[in-house]
Amino acid sequence: MSAITSVILAAGQGKRMNSSLPKVLHPVAGKPMIFYSLDIAISLGIEKRIVVLGHQIERIKDTVNSIDREAICVHQREQLGTAQALQEVEPYLSDFSGIVLVLSADVPLLKQSTLHKIINHQNSSSACCTLFTTKLDNPEGYGRIIRNKSGEVEAIVEQSDLSEEENQINEINGGIYCFNSKELFTALALVKRDNEQKEYYLTDVIKIMRDKGCLVEGIILKDPAEIMGINTQEELSRVNQIMYKRNALEHMEKGVTIISPENTFLEKNVQIGKGTIIYPFTIITAGSEIGSNCHIGPYSHILGSHIGNQTKILSSMVEQSQIGNKTSIGPYAHIRPESIIGDDVKIGNYVEVKKTYIDTGTRVSHLTYLGDATLGKKVNIGAGTITCNYDGIRKNPTTIEDGVFIGSNNSLVAPVTIGKNSYTAAGSTITNNVPPRSLGIARARQENIVGWVDKKNKKEQNTKREK
Ligand code: UD1
Ligand code: CA
């Protein structure tokens, strides 16, 4: 097996995206597009991994290094084409004679098993280059594969340089190549920019190699999706759809029920237990772990959170928090970061919870805000209750001990503690601690003025008569 160096091309601006965000940083299933080619090079066990950067280099370099600290970033100062991009790499490979695997940062759907094919092929043949091609109903925008009568790859012609006859060809270049290192750099030196776009095309090395008598092999991929390139926002949305569906299928194979994979958005690095049902329009981000036999969605958004078993999360958002077993959240609840919610808890309609600990069996059923609070076991929070946790300077804690019953529409002015098994009366503004087993009542006493309406009506009638 020859040694392999990978080179990821990522210096282009991505003009056709019409965006200020560099193309390769646009997210695909929640990860920057460039993540996928970096990740695949690492998982292939390639030791020397090079990335060519140019447009917005500093910004992209940070992302590259956060994914692959060992990647060598090479600067292509002027983006004069894919051939010139590879030439920038030559000084790093002067004593290298193995295979150069060229990947494009804008082709994220490529699978590791598919790459194995091209590497094995290049390894076992005498070809100067092996590349992936596919046949498309609409090959518009891609370089076309020119084969001779015996079916050998002869050249690649870019879209803007196609003759009318070549425009009929539907076999396209996937932009993924294995090169013999020495032959690659010899050919690159001969590439000219005498084409429509005045760029140095990497694809020109194919004809140069063939003219020299070198063999170029084209492997036709049956599934064109894998080498779909992203140049426009429309293509980005199509690739996103495919990636999300692919992620959903992986979970379905492991026993998760996903009602509509086309409308379910699971990022990579998400774990879901068997028997869990994911309803449509649910987004689950990287790092989330969901137990078994849960019902998640429709319309739930779970960001980096841990959810136990048999828990329901209906039309709600859970951010960087932990939810226990047999707990029910929503509809329309928002669990904000650093919350820990235990087992058999109910968080109901329009409830916001922030940095709060809620113990087993507690119910917070309607229209409530809990911030910086600690709730014990079997607490009941009445509708419309809020913790007044912020005094304009600092956040203060609220403690509600086991078995407490908070009446409806309470304002709990923190810092405050409601002792074990106590009650607070509906409509109270609680500013002082309530001792255990007591009733806290803090509201004006009601007064009824009997006959007030009759008096009012009489007065009005008299005024009218006077007019
Ligand atoms: C390229 C191929 C085309 C192929 C298609 C597959 C060339 C000339 N054409 O076209 O045959 O069908 O990919 O997706 O190679 N880049 C640099 N430096 C540059 C220019 C580009 O690093 O100076 C990078 C880009 O960031 C991108 C990749 O190379 O990641 C491909 O460039 P792009 O402009 O997208 O090429 P295509 O027109 O898609
Ligand atoms: Ca492209």
Side-chain angles (χ1 to χ4, degrees), residues 4 35 39 58 103 116 227 270 278 280 284 326 329 366 371 407 411 415:
I4 307 174
F35 164 87
D39 186 53
E58 290 310 326
L103 302 171
H116 274 302
I227 49 173
V270 164
I278 313 279
I284 304 179
K326 295 186 183 170
I329 309 279
H366 334 263
S411 298

Side-chain angles (χ1 to χ4, degrees), residues 179-196:
F179 287 107
N180 170 303
S181 176
K182 296 287 174 215
E183 297 293 348
L184 168 65
F185 293 111
T186 311
L188 279 174
L190 301 172
V191 173
K192 298 194 180 71
R193 58 201 288 203
D194 51 356
N195 50 53
E196 265 303 306

Side-chain angles (χ1 to χ4, degrees), residues 16 23 82 104-107 141-142 174 228-232 235:
R16 288 165 280 180
K23 174 166 83 173
T82 43
S104 251
D106 64 350
V107 183
Y142 288 96
M228 249 174 94
I230 299 173
N231 297 309
T232 62
E235 285 164 344

Side-chain angles (χ1 to χ4, degrees), residues 368-414:
T368 287
Y369 170 62
L370 298 174
D372 306 290
T374 304
L375 278 67
K377 296 186 177 71
K378 293 204 168 168
V379 168
N380 189 83
I381 304 286
T385 292
I386 56 165
T387 51
C388 309
N389 58 328
Y390 186 48
D391 58 15
I393 300 165
R394 62 183 74 81
K395 303 286 168 67
N396 299 299
T398 300
T399 304
I400 303 172
E401 295 179 352
D402 292 352
V404 164
F405 183 99
I406 301 287
S408 293
N409 204 32
N410 271 217
S411 298
L412 306 171
V413 182

Side-chain angles (χ1 to χ4, degrees), residues 8-14 16 23-24 52-54 76 78-86 103-107 139 141-144 156-159 172-177 197 199-204 227-231:
I8 297 171
L9 301 182
Q13 181 182 351
R16 288 165 280 180
K23 174 166 83 173
V24 298
V52 183
L53 299 174
Q76 183 191 15
E78 256 187 299
Q79 287 81 60
L80 299 176
T82 43
Q84 198 235 343
L86 260 185
L103 302 171
S104 251
D106 64 350
V107 183
Y142 288 96
R144 302 308 153 75
I156 299 172
V157 180
E158 291 306 302
Q159 175 72 41
I172 63 110
N173 167 32
I176 311 293
Y177 322 79
Q197 300 198 76
E199 278 188 14
Y200 295 98
Y201 288 156
L202 173 57
T203 42
D204 282 358
I227 49 173
M228 249 174 94
I230 299 173
N231 297 309

